[in-house]
Amino acid sequence: MEVILLKQKQIKCPYCHAHASLRPASLVYGSTPQTRGKYLYVCDRWPACNAYVSAHERTLLPMGTLANGDLRHKRILAHRALKKLQQDCHMEKWEVYIWLQAKLGLDAHQTHIGQFSEYMCEQVISLCQQAPAYTSGRAA
């Protein structure tokens, strides 16, 4: 537990402005084999404030910004759209992200779905769905 406390990052909830703490994922998801050893940054006002974000397994740094249920859902949909484009175009994950960077005019450090707002997630989904290759097999 000492290692976790040393690596914990101080973040505030963008919704209620309370602090967020590194907690076991079982707090939110219940104790399952999938949550064993996993951590989340959870708003200290949880469950009244439903904001949290996953922590990287090795570094325990947040994988993005805290998100409420609506934003988490949009991020899931954005990831699914990118995955579908990747599969339909027979691309590697890094190639899809380079395509997305070019479409959004962002650099690699800015192109992380875990950092995106609902609006940016909608842009990702729309761009993926508009790509001619989304159903034909080559990225535009």
Side-chain angles (χ1 to χ4, degrees):
M1 194 65 151
E2 282 183 309
V3 174
I4 292 166
L5 295 175
L6 291 174
K7 292 184 179 186
Q8 186 167 309
K9 183 174 175 159
Q10 294 289 6
I11 55 177
K12 281 196 166 190
C13 177
Y15 303 99
C16 72
H17 308 291
H19 287 281
S21 299
L22 187 63
R23 308 288 296 273
S26 59
L27 172 76
V28 172
Y29 298 119
S31 186
T32 68
Q34 291 84 7
T35 61
R36 193 169 297 123
K38 307 269 197 246
Y39 289 87
L40 306 170
Y41 281 88
V42 181
C43 176
D44 288 347
R45 291 191 60 242
W46 186 89
C49 180
N50 187 24
Y52 57 89
V53 66
S54 295
H56 282 279
E57 281 189 48
R58 287 184 325 214
T59 65
L60 296 178
L61 293 173
M63 292 179 79
T65 60
L66 262 63
N68 65 13
D70 291 339
L71 180 53
R72 287 192 306 273
H73 181 69
K74 289 281 185 183
R75 288 177 177 174
I76 289 167
L77 295 177
H79 275 113
R80 284 181 186 163
L82 283 173
K83 182 77 168 174
K84 180 171 175 17
L85 185 64
Q86 178 185 345
Q87 291 171 344
D88 289 352
C89 298
H90 309 287
M91 298 169 74
E92 297 293 327
K93 185 176 180 178
W94 66 268
E95 293 175 302
V96 173
Y97 274 89
I98 289 187
W99 172 86
L100 183 61
Q101 290 168 29
K103 290 292 186 182
L104 294 174
L106 301 174
D107 66 34
H109 297 291
Q110 298 169 311
T111 312
H112 294 281
I113 303 241
Q115 300 287 342
F116 284 179
S117 64
E118 286 187 50
Y119 172 79
M120 287 299 290
C121 288
E122 290 167 3
Q123 295 301 304
V124 170
I125 295 163
S126 178
L127 286 168
C128 288
Q129 291 173 342
Q130 291 171 16
Y134 199 65
T135 55
S136 69
R138 295 275 305 153

PDB file of all heavy atoms in Angstrom, residues 68-104:
ATOM      1  N   ASN A  68     -17.986  11.680 -15.525  1.00  0.00           N
ATOM      2  CA  ASN A  68     -19.262  11.191 -15.012  1.00  0.00           C
ATOM      3  C   ASN A  68     -19.784  10.112 -15.959  1.00  0.00           C
ATOM      4  O   ASN A  68     -19.130   9.767 -16.948  1.00  0.00           O
ATOM      5  CB  ASN A  68     -20.261  12.343 -14.848  1.00  0.00           C
ATOM      6  CG  ASN A  68     -20.652  13.008 -16.152  1.00  0.00           C
ATOM      7  OD1 ASN A  68     -20.384  12.500 -17.237  1.00  0.00           O
ATOM      8  ND2 ASN A  68     -21.296  14.162 -16.056  1.00  0.00           N
ATOM      9  N   GLY A  69     -20.947   9.572 -15.671  1.00  0.00           N
ATOM     10  CA  GLY A  69     -21.483   8.474 -16.467  1.00  0.00           C
ATOM     11  C   GLY A  69     -21.654   8.812 -17.934  1.00  0.00           C
ATOM     12  O   GLY A  69     -21.345   7.993 -18.804  1.00  0.00           O
ATOM     13  N   ASP A  70     -22.145  10.010 -18.241  1.00  0.00           N
ATOM     14  CA  ASP A  70     -22.356  10.405 -19.639  1.00  0.00           C
ATOM     15  C   ASP A  70     -21.041  10.468 -20.401  1.00  0.00           C
ATOM     16  O   ASP A  70     -20.939   9.972 -21.523  1.00  0.00           O
ATOM     17  CB  ASP A  70     -23.067  11.761 -19.724  1.00  0.00           C
ATOM     18  CG  ASP A  70     -24.506  11.709 -19.245  1.00  0.00           C
ATOM     19  OD1 ASP A  70     -25.100  10.599 -19.223  1.00  0.00           O
ATOM     20  OD2 ASP A  70     -25.043  12.776 -18.881  1.00  0.00           O
ATOM     21  N   LEU A  71     -20.027  11.075 -19.794  1.00  0.00           N
ATOM     22  CA  LEU A  71     -18.733  11.197 -20.472  1.00  0.00           C
ATOM     23  C   LEU A  71     -18.057   9.835 -20.600  1.00  0.00           C
ATOM     24  O   LEU A  71     -17.476   9.524 -21.648  1.00  0.00           O
ATOM     25  CB  LEU A  71     -17.828  12.191 -19.748  1.00  0.00           C
ATOM     26  CG  LEU A  71     -16.440  12.414 -20.354  1.00  0.00           C
ATOM     27  CD1 LEU A  71     -16.514  12.770 -21.841  1.00  0.00           C
ATOM     28  CD2 LEU A  71     -15.701  13.494 -19.577  1.00  0.00           C
ATOM     29  N   ARG A  72     -18.154   9.006 -19.574  1.00  0.00           N
ATOM     30  CA  ARG A  72     -17.569   7.662 -19.689  1.00  0.00           C
ATOM     31  C   ARG A  72     -18.212   6.896 -20.840  1.00  0.00           C
ATOM     32  O   ARG A  72     -17.525   6.222 -21.616  1.00  0.00           O
ATOM     33  CB  ARG A  72     -17.725   6.880 -18.371  1.00  0.00           C
ATOM     34  CG  ARG A  72     -16.802   7.356 -17.274  1.00  0.00           C
ATOM     35  CD  ARG A  72     -16.761   6.397 -16.097  1.00  0.00           C
ATOM     36  NE  ARG A  72     -18.060   6.084 -15.548  1.00  0.00           N
ATOM     37  CZ  ARG A  72     -18.695   6.783 -14.615  1.00  0.00           C
ATOM     38  NH1 ARG A  72     -18.128   7.871 -14.106  1.00  0.00           N
ATOM     39  NH2 ARG A  72     -19.872   6.403 -14.169  1.00  0.00           N
ATOM     40  N   HIS A  73     -19.523   7.027 -20.991  1.00  0.00           N
ATOM     41  CA  HIS A  73     -20.225   6.350 -22.081  1.00  0.00           C
ATOM     42  C   HIS A  73     -19.745   6.870 -23.446  1.00  0.00           C
ATOM     43  O   HIS A  73     -19.490   6.080 -24.363  1.00  0.00           O
ATOM     44  CB  HIS A  73     -21.734   6.534 -21.940  1.00  0.00           C
ATOM     45  CG  HIS A  73     -22.524   5.862 -22.994  1.00  0.00           C
ATOM     46  ND1 HIS A  73     -22.622   4.485 -23.091  1.00  0.00           N
ATOM     47  CD2 HIS A  73     -23.241   6.359 -24.029  1.00  0.00           C
ATOM     48  CE1 HIS A  73     -23.366   4.171 -24.132  1.00  0.00           C
ATOM     49  NE2 HIS A  73     -23.755   5.294 -24.720  1.00  0.00           N
ATOM     50  N   LYS A  74     -19.597   8.180 -23.585  1.00  0.00           N
ATOM     51  CA  LYS A  74     -19.105   8.759 -24.848  1.00  0.00           C
ATOM     52  C   LYS A  74     -17.693   8.273 -25.157  1.00  0.00           C
ATOM     53  O   LYS A  74     -17.366   7.997 -26.309  1.00  0.00           O
ATOM     54  CB  LYS A  74     -19.115  10.288 -24.797  1.00  0.00           C
ATOM     55  CG  LYS A  74     -20.474  10.905 -24.826  1.00  0.00           C
ATOM     56  CD  LYS A  74     -21.035  10.927 -26.207  1.00  0.00           C
ATOM     57  CE  LYS A  74     -22.354  11.686 -26.171  1.00  0.00           C
ATOM     58  NZ  LYS A  74     -23.023  11.728 -27.421  1.00  0.00           N
ATOM     59  N   ARG A  75     -16.850   8.176 -24.137  1.00  0.00           N
ATOM     60  CA  ARG A  75     -15.490   7.700 -24.353  1.00  0.00           C
ATOM     61  C   ARG A  75     -15.489   6.243 -24.808  1.00  0.00           C
ATOM     62  O   ARG A  75     -14.700   5.866 -25.674  1.00  0.00           O
ATOM     63  CB  ARG A  75     -14.651   7.875 -23.083  1.00  0.00           C
ATOM     64  CG  ARG A  75     -14.318   9.344 -22.815  1.00  0.00           C
ATOM     65  CD  ARG A  75     -13.564   9.528 -21.521  1.00  0.00           C
ATOM     66  NE  ARG A  75     -13.193  10.929 -21.332  1.00  0.00           N
ATOM     67  CZ  ARG A  75     -12.636  11.404 -20.236  1.00  0.00           C
ATOM     68  NH1 ARG A  75     -12.360  10.592 -19.217  1.00  0.00           N
ATOM     69  NH2 ARG A  75     -12.340  12.686 -20.134  1.00  0.00           N
ATOM     70  N   ILE A  76     -16.371   5.440 -24.244  1.00  0.00           N
ATOM     71  CA  ILE A  76     -16.497   4.041 -24.680  1.00  0.00           C
ATOM     72  C   ILE A  76     -16.914   3.996 -26.146  1.00  0.00           C
ATOM     73  O   ILE A  76     -16.343   3.233 -26.937  1.00  0.00           O
ATOM     74  CB  ILE A  76     -17.503   3.282 -23.789  1.00  0.00           C
ATOM     75  CG1 ILE A  76     -16.898   3.052 -22.394  1.00  0.00           C
ATOM     76  CG2 ILE A  76     -17.922   1.956 -24.424  1.00  0.00           C
ATOM     77  CD1 ILE A  76     -17.908   2.602 -21.347  1.00  0.00           C
ATOM     78  N   LEU A  77     -17.890   4.809 -26.522  1.00  0.00           N
ATOM     79  CA  LEU A  77     -18.349   4.838 -27.921  1.00  0.00           C
ATOM     80  C   LEU A  77     -17.246   5.318 -28.863  1.00  0.00           C
ATOM     81  O   LEU A  77     -17.104   4.792 -29.974  1.00  0.00           O
ATOM     82  CB  LEU A  77     -19.600   5.711 -28.059  1.00  0.00           C
ATOM     83  CG  LEU A  77     -20.851   5.225 -27.334  1.00  0.00           C
ATOM     84  CD1 LEU A  77     -21.988   6.233 -27.500  1.00  0.00           C
ATOM     85  CD2 LEU A  77     -21.264   3.843 -27.810  1.00  0.00           C
ATOM     86  N   ALA A  78     -16.467   6.299 -28.439  1.00  0.00           N
ATOM     87  CA  ALA A  78     -15.358   6.795 -29.264  1.00  0.00           C
ATOM     88  C   ALA A  78     -14.306   5.698 -29.451  1.00  0.00           C
ATOM     89  O   ALA A  78     -13.810   5.492 -30.562  1.00  0.00           O
ATOM     90  CB  ALA A  78     -14.742   8.042 -28.642  1.00  0.00           C
ATOM     91  N   HIS A  79     -13.976   4.993 -28.381  1.00  0.00           N
ATOM     92  CA  HIS A  79     -13.022   3.883 -28.500  1.00  0.00           C
ATOM     93  C   HIS A  79     -13.561   2.800 -29.438  1.00  0.00           C
ATOM     94  O   HIS A  79     -12.815   2.247 -30.257  1.00  0.00           O
ATOM     95  CB  HIS A  79     -12.719   3.266 -27.124  1.00  0.00           C
ATOM     96  CG  HIS A  79     -11.648   3.971 -26.373  1.00  0.00           C
ATOM     97  ND1 HIS A  79     -11.889   4.673 -25.211  1.00  0.00           N
ATOM     98  CD2 HIS A  79     -10.326   4.092 -26.609  1.00  0.00           C
ATOM     99  CE1 HIS A  79     -10.755   5.183 -24.775  1.00  0.00           C
ATOM    100  NE2 HIS A  79      -9.790   4.853 -25.599  1.00  0.00           N
ATOM    101  N   ARG A  80     -14.843   2.503 -29.343  1.00  0.00           N
ATOM    102  CA  ARG A  80     -15.438   1.490 -30.221  1.00  0.00           C
ATOM    103  C   ARG A  80     -15.385   1.920 -31.685  1.00  0.00           C
ATOM    104  O   ARG A  80     -15.120   1.099 -32.567  1.00  0.00           O
ATOM    105  CB  ARG A  80     -16.889   1.217 -29.821  1.00  0.00           C
ATOM    106  CG  ARG A  80     -17.017   0.373 -28.596  1.00  0.00           C
ATOM    107  CD  ARG A  80     -18.473   0.113 -28.272  1.00  0.00           C
ATOM    108  NE  ARG A  80     -18.598  -0.581 -27.005  1.00  0.00           N
ATOM    109  CZ  ARG A  80     -19.716  -0.652 -26.308  1.00  0.00           C
ATOM    110  NH1 ARG A  80     -20.826  -0.086 -26.756  1.00  0.00           N
ATOM    111  NH2 ARG A  80     -19.744  -1.296 -25.168  1.00  0.00           N
ATOM    112  N   ALA A  81     -15.644   3.200 -31.948  1.00  0.00           N
ATOM    113  CA  ALA A  81     -15.604   3.708 -33.324  1.00  0.00           C
ATOM    114  C   ALA A  81     -14.188   3.590 -33.886  1.00  0.00           C
ATOM    115  O   ALA A  81     -14.003   3.186 -35.042  1.00  0.00           O
ATOM    116  CB  ALA A  81     -16.095   5.154 -33.377  1.00  0.00           C
ATOM    117  N   LEU A  82     -13.189   3.937 -33.078  1.00  0.00           N
ATOM    118  CA  LEU A  82     -11.801   3.806 -33.527  1.00  0.00           C
ATOM    119  C   LEU A  82     -11.435   2.346 -33.760  1.00  0.00           C
ATOM    120  O   LEU A  82     -10.746   2.019 -34.730  1.00  0.00           O
ATOM    121  CB  LEU A  82     -10.846   4.421 -32.506  1.00  0.00           C
ATOM    122  CG  LEU A  82     -10.757   5.939 -32.499  1.00  0.00           C
ATOM    123  CD1 LEU A  82      -9.907   6.412 -31.337  1.00  0.00           C
ATOM    124  CD2 LEU A  82     -10.204   6.460 -33.815  1.00  0.00           C
ATOM    125  N   LYS A  83     -11.892   1.477 -32.887  1.00  0.00           N
ATOM    126  CA  LYS A  83     -11.601   0.040 -33.031  1.00  0.00           C
ATOM    127  C   LYS A  83     -12.236  -0.505 -34.310  1.00  0.00           C
ATOM    128  O   LYS A  83     -11.620  -1.289 -35.035  1.00  0.00           O
ATOM    129  CB  LYS A  83     -12.133  -0.709 -31.800  1.00  0.00           C
ATOM    130  CG  LYS A  83     -11.853  -2.171 -31.796  1.00  0.00           C
ATOM    131  CD  LYS A  83     -10.431  -2.438 -31.419  1.00  0.00           C
ATOM    132  CE  LYS A  83     -10.232  -3.909 -31.130  1.00  0.00           C
ATOM    133  NZ  LYS A  83      -8.842  -4.214 -30.898  1.00  0.00           N
ATOM    134  N   LYS A  84     -13.473  -0.080 -34.608  1.00  0.00           N
ATOM    135  CA  LYS A  84     -14.141  -0.531 -35.832  1.00  0.00           C
ATOM    136  C   LYS A  84     -13.389  -0.038 -37.061  1.00  0.00           C
ATOM    137  O   LYS A  84     -13.174  -0.796 -38.006  1.00  0.00           O
ATOM    138  CB  LYS A  84     -15.591  -0.057 -35.875  1.00  0.00           C
ATOM    139  CG  LYS A  84     -16.333  -0.509 -37.127  1.00  0.00           C
ATOM    140  CD  LYS A  84     -17.800  -0.221 -37.040  1.00  0.00           C
ATOM    141  CE  LYS A  84     -18.593  -0.525 -38.285  1.00  0.00           C
ATOM    142  NZ  LYS A  84     -18.053  -1.368 -39.299  1.00  0.00           N
ATOM    143  N   LEU A  85     -12.954   1.213 -37.040  1.00  0.00           N
ATOM    144  CA  LEU A  85     -12.183   1.756 -38.155  1.00  0.00           C
ATOM    145  C   LEU A  85     -10.876   0.972 -38.305  1.00  0.00           C
ATOM    146  O   LEU A  85     -10.490   0.612 -39.423  1.00  0.00           O
ATOM    147  CB  LEU A  85     -11.897   3.236 -37.936  1.00  0.00           C
ATOM    148  CG  LEU A  85     -11.195   3.954 -39.075  1.00  0.00           C
ATOM    149  CD1 LEU A  85     -12.064   3.969 -40.334  1.00  0.00           C
ATOM    150  CD2 LEU A  85     -10.824   5.358 -38.675  1.00  0.00           C
ATOM    151  N   GLN A  86     -10.228   0.696 -37.197  1.00  0.00           N
ATOM    152  CA  GLN A  86      -8.979  -0.070 -37.217  1.00  0.00           C
ATOM    153  C   GLN A  86      -9.198  -1.444 -37.852  1.00  0.00           C
ATOM    154  O   GLN A  86      -8.428  -1.871 -38.717  1.00  0.00           O
ATOM    155  CB  GLN A  86      -8.455  -0.232 -35.788  1.00  0.00           C
ATOM    156  CG  GLN A  86      -7.191  -1.057 -35.679  1.00  0.00           C
ATOM    157  CD  GLN A  86      -6.779  -1.296 -34.234  1.00  0.00           C
ATOM    158  OE1 GLN A  86      -7.256  -0.652 -33.312  1.00  0.00           O
ATOM    159  NE2 GLN A  86      -5.890  -2.245 -34.050  1.00  0.00           N
ATOM    160  N   GLN A  87     -10.255  -2.125 -37.448  1.00  0.00           N
ATOM    161  CA  GLN A  87     -10.540  -3.462 -37.982  1.00  0.00           C
ATOM    162  C   GLN A  87     -10.950  -3.396 -39.453  1.00  0.00           C
ATOM    163  O   GLN A  87     -10.462  -4.184 -40.269  1.00  0.00           O
ATOM    164  CB  GLN A  87     -11.641  -4.131 -37.160  1.00  0.00           C
ATOM    165  CG  GLN A  87     -11.179  -4.496 -35.772  1.00  0.00           C
ATOM    166  CD  GLN A  87     -12.318  -4.951 -34.871  1.00  0.00           C
ATOM    167  OE1 GLN A  87     -13.492  -4.741 -35.158  1.00  0.00           O
ATOM    168  NE2 GLN A  87     -11.948  -5.568 -33.755  1.00  0.00           N
ATOM    169  N   ASP A  88     -11.841  -2.450 -39.790  1.00  0.00           N
ATOM    170  CA  ASP A  88     -12.320  -2.346 -41.172  1.00  0.00           C
ATOM    171  C   ASP A  88     -11.203  -1.979 -42.134  1.00  0.00           C
ATOM    172  O   ASP A  88     -11.222  -2.382 -43.298  1.00  0.00           O
ATOM    173  CB  ASP A  88     -13.438  -1.303 -41.285  1.00  0.00           C
ATOM    174  CG  ASP A  88     -14.742  -1.758 -40.646  1.00  0.00           C
ATOM    175  OD1 ASP A  88     -14.840  -2.946 -40.249  1.00  0.00           O
ATOM    176  OD2 ASP A  88     -15.664  -0.927 -40.529  1.00  0.00           O
ATOM    177  N   CYS A  89     -10.242  -1.214 -41.649  1.00  0.00           N
ATOM    178  CA  CYS A  89      -9.144  -0.739 -42.505  1.00  0.00           C
ATOM    179  C   CYS A  89      -7.896  -1.591 -42.397  1.00  0.00           C
ATOM    180  O   CYS A  89      -6.890  -1.278 -43.036  1.00  0.00           O
ATOM    181  CB  CYS A  89      -8.796   0.701 -42.154  1.00  0.00           C
ATOM    182  SG  CYS A  89     -10.158   1.814 -42.430  1.00  0.00           S
ATOM    183  N   HIS A  90      -7.941  -2.603 -41.571  1.00  0.00           N
ATOM    184  CA  HIS A  90      -6.774  -3.471 -41.353  1.00  0.00           C
ATOM    185  C   HIS A  90      -5.559  -2.631 -40.983  1.00  0.00           C
ATOM    186  O   HIS A  90      -4.488  -2.757 -41.568  1.00  0.00           O
ATOM    187  CB  HIS A  90      -6.495  -4.328 -42.590  1.00  0.00           C
ATOM    188  CG  HIS A  90      -7.704  -5.062 -43.070  1.00  0.00           C
ATOM    189  ND1 HIS A  90      -8.224  -6.149 -42.400  1.00  0.00           N
ATOM    190  CD2 HIS A  90      -8.518  -4.840 -44.112  1.00  0.00           C
ATOM    191  CE1 HIS A  90      -9.296  -6.576 -43.038  1.00  0.00           C
ATOM    192  NE2 HIS A  90      -9.503  -5.807 -44.077  1.00  0.00           N
ATOM    193  N   MET A  91      -5.762  -1.751 -39.999  1.00  0.00           N
ATOM    194  CA  MET A  91      -4.709  -0.847 -39.537  1.00  0.00           C
ATOM    195  C   MET A  91      -4.262  -1.250 -38.144  1.00  0.00           C
ATOM    196  O   MET A  91      -4.994  -1.897 -37.400  1.00  0.00           O
ATOM    197  CB  MET A  91      -5.240   0.594 -39.496  1.00  0.00           C
ATOM    198  CG  MET A  91      -5.666   1.139 -40.851  1.00  0.00           C
ATOM    199  SD  MET A  91      -6.561   2.697 -40.698  1.00  0.00           S
ATOM    200  CE  MET A  91      -5.232   3.809 -40.311  1.00  0.00           C
ATOM    201  N   GLU A  92      -3.055  -0.840 -37.812  1.00  0.00           N
ATOM    202  CA  GLU A  92      -2.573  -0.979 -36.448  1.00  0.00           C
ATOM    203  C   GLU A  92      -3.167   0.159 -35.623  1.00  0.00           C
ATOM    204  O   GLU A  92      -3.546   1.201 -36.162  1.00  0.00           O
ATOM    205  CB  GLU A  92      -1.042  -0.903 -36.404  1.00  0.00           C
ATOM    206  CG  GLU A  92      -0.346  -2.015 -37.163  1.00  0.00           C
ATOM    207  CD  GLU A  92      -0.569  -3.379 -36.530  1.00  0.00           C
ATOM    208  OE1 GLU A  92      -0.678  -3.463 -35.291  1.00  0.00           O
ATOM    209  OE2 GLU A  92      -0.618  -4.372 -37.277  1.00  0.00           O
ATOM    210  N   LYS A  93      -3.203  -0.027 -34.315  1.00  0.00           N
ATOM    211  CA  LYS A  93      -3.774   0.991 -33.435  1.00  0.00           C
ATOM    212  C   LYS A  93      -3.061   2.334 -33.605  1.00  0.00           C
ATOM    213  O   LYS A  93      -3.704   3.384 -33.688  1.00  0.00           O
ATOM    214  CB  LYS A  93      -3.697   0.518 -31.979  1.00  0.00           C
ATOM    215  CG  LYS A  93      -4.372   1.432 -30.999  1.00  0.00           C
ATOM    216  CD  LYS A  93      -4.337   0.836 -29.600  1.00  0.00           C
ATOM    217  CE  LYS A  93      -5.013   1.756 -28.609  1.00  0.00           C
ATOM    218  NZ  LYS A  93      -5.033   1.168 -27.257  1.00  0.00           N
ATOM    219  N   TRP A  94      -1.725   2.308 -33.697  1.00  0.00           N
ATOM    220  CA  TRP A  94      -0.987   3.554 -33.834  1.00  0.00           C
ATOM    221  C   TRP A  94      -1.332   4.268 -35.140  1.00  0.00           C
ATOM    222  O   TRP A  94      -1.354   5.501 -35.190  1.00  0.00           O
ATOM    223  CB  TRP A  94       0.523   3.322 -33.698  1.00  0.00           C
ATOM    224  CG  TRP A  94       1.147   2.495 -34.781  1.00  0.00           C
ATOM    225  CD1 TRP A  94       1.327   1.145 -34.784  1.00  0.00           C
ATOM    226  CD2 TRP A  94       1.668   2.970 -36.033  1.00  0.00           C
ATOM    227  NE1 TRP A  94       1.932   0.743 -35.953  1.00  0.00           N
ATOM    228  CE2 TRP A  94       2.151   1.843 -36.744  1.00  0.00           C
ATOM    229  CE3 TRP A  94       1.779   4.234 -36.627  1.00  0.00           C
ATOM    230  CZ2 TRP A  94       2.720   1.941 -37.999  1.00  0.00           C
ATOM    231  CZ3 TRP A  94       2.356   4.319 -37.877  1.00  0.00           C
ATOM    232  CH2 TRP A  94       2.816   3.189 -38.545  1.00  0.00           C
ATOM    233  N   GLU A  95      -1.629   3.516 -36.201  1.00  0.00           N
ATOM    234  CA  GLU A  95      -1.999   4.127 -37.473  1.00  0.00           C
ATOM    235  C   GLU A  95      -3.337   4.846 -37.374  1.00  0.00           C
ATOM    236  O   GLU A  95      -3.509   5.929 -37.944  1.00  0.00           O
ATOM    237  CB  GLU A  95      -2.065   3.067 -38.576  1.00  0.00           C
ATOM    238  CG  GLU A  95      -0.721   2.462 -38.932  1.00  0.00           C
ATOM    239  CD  GLU A  95      -0.833   1.335 -39.928  1.00  0.00           C
ATOM    240  OE1 GLU A  95      -1.539   0.340 -39.641  1.00  0.00           O
ATOM    241  OE2 GLU A  95      -0.214   1.464 -41.006  1.00  0.00           O
ATOM    242  N   VAL A  96      -4.261   4.261 -36.648  1.00  0.00           N
ATOM    243  CA  VAL A  96      -5.569   4.896 -36.459  1.00  0.00           C
ATOM    244  C   VAL A  96      -5.412   6.196 -35.683  1.00  0.00           C
ATOM    245  O   VAL A  96      -6.039   7.201 -36.005  1.00  0.00           O
ATOM    246  CB  VAL A  96      -6.550   3.933 -35.747  1.00  0.00           C
ATOM    247  CG1 VAL A  96      -7.844   4.628 -35.396  1.00  0.00           C
ATOM    248  CG2 VAL A  96      -6.821   2.715 -36.608  1.00  0.00           C
ATOM    249  N   TYR A  97      -4.531   6.176 -34.684  1.00  0.00           N
ATOM    250  CA  TYR A  97      -4.332   7.399 -33.899  1.00  0.00           C
ATOM    251  C   TYR A  97      -3.614   8.486 -34.701  1.00  0.00           C
ATOM    252  O   TYR A  97      -3.908   9.674 -34.534  1.00  0.00           O
ATOM    253  CB  TYR A  97      -3.624   7.096 -32.572  1.00  0.00           C
ATOM    254  CG  TYR A  97      -4.626   6.708 -31.504  1.00  0.00           C
ATOM    255  CD1 TYR A  97      -5.006   5.382 -31.327  1.00  0.00           C
ATOM    256  CD2 TYR A  97      -5.219   7.674 -30.708  1.00  0.00           C
ATOM    257  CE1 TYR A  97      -5.945   5.032 -30.375  1.00  0.00           C
ATOM    258  CE2 TYR A  97      -6.158   7.339 -29.754  1.00  0.00           C
ATOM    259  CZ  TYR A  97      -6.520   6.020 -29.593  1.00  0.00           C
ATOM    260  OH  TYR A  97      -7.461   5.686 -28.646  1.00  0.00           O
ATOM    261  N   ILE A  98      -2.731   8.110 -35.592  1.00  0.00           N
ATOM    262  CA  ILE A  98      -2.100   9.113 -36.464  1.00  0.00           C
ATOM    263  C   ILE A  98      -3.144   9.713 -37.405  1.00  0.00           C
ATOM    264  O   ILE A  98      -3.176  10.924 -37.627  1.00  0.00           O
ATOM    265  CB  ILE A  98      -0.902   8.506 -37.225  1.00  0.00           C
ATOM    266  CG1 ILE A  98       0.215   8.279 -36.231  1.00  0.00           C
ATOM    267  CG2 ILE A  98      -0.467   9.387 -38.390  1.00  0.00           C
ATOM    268  CD1 ILE A  98       1.526   7.843 -36.774  1.00  0.00           C
ATOM    269  N   TRP A  99      -4.015   8.868 -37.946  1.00  0.00           N
ATOM    270  CA  TRP A  99      -5.122   9.341 -38.785  1.00  0.00           C
ATOM    271  C   TRP A  99      -5.983  10.316 -37.995  1.00  0.00           C
ATOM    272  O   TRP A  99      -6.324  11.396 -38.485  1.00  0.00           O
ATOM    273  CB  TRP A  99      -5.947   8.135 -39.263  1.00  0.00           C
ATOM    274  CG  TRP A  99      -7.213   8.497 -39.969  1.00  0.00           C
ATOM    275  CD1 TRP A  99      -7.363   8.787 -41.292  1.00  0.00           C
ATOM    276  CD2 TRP A  99      -8.519   8.607 -39.392  1.00  0.00           C
ATOM    277  NE1 TRP A  99      -8.687   9.073 -41.578  1.00  0.00           N
ATOM    278  CE2 TRP A  99      -9.409   8.969 -40.411  1.00  0.00           C
ATOM    279  CE3 TRP A  99      -9.023   8.441 -38.103  1.00  0.00           C
ATOM    280  CZ2 TRP A  99     -10.768   9.166 -40.200  1.00  0.00           C
ATOM    281  CZ3 TRP A  99     -10.372   8.642 -37.873  1.00  0.00           C
ATOM    282  CH2 TRP A  99     -11.231   8.997 -38.919  1.00  0.00           C
ATOM    283  N   LEU A 100      -6.326   9.955 -36.747  1.00  0.00           N
ATOM    284  CA  LEU A 100      -7.168  10.812 -35.909  1.00  0.00           C
ATOM    285  C   LEU A 100      -6.470  12.133 -35.597  1.00  0.00           C
ATOM    286  O   LEU A 100      -7.099  13.198 -35.651  1.00  0.00           O
ATOM    287  CB  LEU A 100      -7.541  10.079 -34.619  1.00  0.00           C
ATOM    288  CG  LEU A 100      -8.481  10.824 -33.677  1.00  0.00           C
ATOM    289  CD1 LEU A 100      -9.816  11.113 -34.359  1.00  0.00           C
ATOM    290  CD2 LEU A 100      -8.696  10.023 -32.403  1.00  0.00           C
ATOM    291  N   GLN A 101      -5.172  12.080 -35.313  1.00  0.00           N
ATOM    292  CA  GLN A 101      -4.419  13.312 -35.052  1.00  0.00           C
ATOM    293  C   GLN A 101      -4.512  14.260 -36.240  1.00  0.00           C
ATOM    294  O   GLN A 101      -4.743  15.457 -36.075  1.00  0.00           O
ATOM    295  CB  GLN A 101      -2.950  12.995 -34.779  1.00  0.00           C
ATOM    296  CG  GLN A 101      -2.692  12.309 -33.466  1.00  0.00           C
ATOM    297  CD  GLN A 101      -1.273  11.773 -33.384  1.00  0.00           C
ATOM    298  OE1 GLN A 101      -0.356  12.308 -33.988  1.00  0.00           O
ATOM    299  NE2 GLN A 101      -1.094  10.693 -32.635  1.00  0.00           N
ATOM    300  N   ALA A 102      -4.344  13.715 -37.442  1.00  0.00           N
ATOM    301  CA  ALA A 102      -4.406  14.546 -38.646  1.00  0.00           C
ATOM    302  C   ALA A 102      -5.800  15.131 -38.827  1.00  0.00           C
ATOM    303  O   ALA A 102      -5.940  16.310 -39.163  1.00  0.00           O
ATOM    304  CB  ALA A 102      -4.009  13.716 -39.872  1.00  0.00           C
ATOM    305  N   LYS A 103      -6.824  14.324 -38.608  1.00  0.00           N
ATOM    306  CA  LYS A 103      -8.206  14.791 -38.784  1.00  0.00           C
ATOM    307  C   LYS A 103      -8.572  15.869 -37.773  1.00  0.00           C
ATOM    308  O   LYS A 103      -9.301  16.804 -38.096  1.00  0.00           O
ATOM    309  CB  LYS A 103      -9.200  13.627 -38.667  1.00  0.00           C
ATOM    310  CG  LYS A 103      -9.151  12.665 -39.824  1.00  0.00           C
ATOM    311  CD  LYS A 103      -9.662  13.319 -41.090  1.00  0.00           C
ATOM    312  CE  LYS A 103      -9.762  12.340 -42.229  1.00  0.00           C
ATOM    313  NZ  LYS A 103     -10.209  12.989 -43.466  1.00  0.00           N
ATOM    314  N   LEU A 104      -8.067  15.733 -36.529  1.00  0.00           N
ATOM    315  CA  LEU A 104      -8.415  16.695 -35.481  1.00  0.00           C
ATOM    316  C   LEU A 104      -7.425  17.850 -35.378  1.00  0.00           C
ATOM    317  O   LEU A 104      -7.679  18.822 -34.671  1.00  0.00           O
ATOM    318  CB  LEU A 104      -8.500  15.986 -34.123  1.00  0.00           C
ATOM    319  CG  LEU A 104      -9.616  14.968 -33.955  1.00  0.00           C
ATOM    320  CD1 LEU A 104      -9.484  14.249 -32.617  1.00  0.00           C
ATOM    321  CD2 LEU A 104     -10.979  15.636 -34.074  1.00  0.00           C
TER     322      LEU A 104
END
